[in-house]
Amino acid sequence: MTNPPGLPADLEVGRENAELCLLARFFNGFSNSTRLSIMLLLARRGEMRVGELVRELGAPQPRISDHLRCLSWCGYVKVRRSGRNAYYSLADERVLEVLRLGWEILQDNVDRVRSCEEIDGRQRRRPA
């Protein structure tokens, strides 16, 4: 069996594998529509302040700040401070590539994704 290009050959599979759990946690950062909206706005506009994101998304400031904190901890966004202002931007161009690739895959599988529903934390296909 050959290893897929770009993936480490020694990445083991299994539920209890620490590296695999970290990879799952990485993708969890993309699993929230507010976080996705923040990343898309930052990709389109460059740097933005929290207040600008709050106005644009119509969500409470504490919620936006919590999502920004999550995105920052995971390395998706970075913050630049200037005086009393904090400016957020994408931390890495590859984050945008993940979003683009996800969008492309979704376009090829829209009906399948729509037919999935979450039951007990697992994706399960609805019966036809």
Side-chain angles (χ1 to χ4, degrees):
M1 178 167 42
T2 61
N3 193 54
L7 292 176
D10 61 346
L11 181 61
E12 295 181 29
V13 297
R15 282 179 27 161
E16 301 303 320
N17 179 286
E19 288 179 323
L20 207 55
C21 288
L22 279 174
L23 185 59
R25 188 178 293 178
F26 168 82
F27 282 111
N28 189 44
F30 292 93
S31 69
N32 179 281
S33 62
T34 301
R35 288 192 296 268
L36 285 173
S37 294
I38 289 169
M39 289 187 284
L40 288 170
L41 280 169
L42 294 176
R44 290 176 180 160
R45 298 198 184 157
E47 288 187 327
M48 293 182 76
R49 292 177 296 165
V50 174
E52 295 170 316
L53 291 164
V54 166
R55 277 191 302 280
E56 200 62 43
L57 298 173
Q61 184 271 327
R63 184 179 307 153
I64 297 298
S65 292
D66 286 345
H67 284 299
L68 284 166
R69 204 168 6 267
C70 170
L71 292 169
S72 179
W73 282 334
C74 292
Y76 308 131
V77 303
K78 62 184 175 183
V79 61
R80 178 182 65 83
R81 299 198 184 277
S82 177
R84 297 175 65 186
N85 292 309
Y87 297 89
Y88 290 87
S89 61
L90 289 182
D92 189 319
E93 185 68 23
R94 294 174 296 178
V95 170
L96 186 54
E97 290 303 312
V98 171
L99 293 171
R100 282 185 191 128
L101 183 57
W103 182 254
E104 288 174 14
I105 293 170
L106 173 63
Q107 296 315 296
D108 293 340
N109 295 284
V110 168
D111 291 335
R112 290 178 180 185
V113 172
R114 279 193 183 122
S115 69
C116 286
E117 61 182 52
E118 192 166 322
I119 298 174
D120 296 331
R122 295 185 197 154
Q123 291 292 329
R124 190 161 98 182
R125 188 165 169 84
R126 289 186 204 156

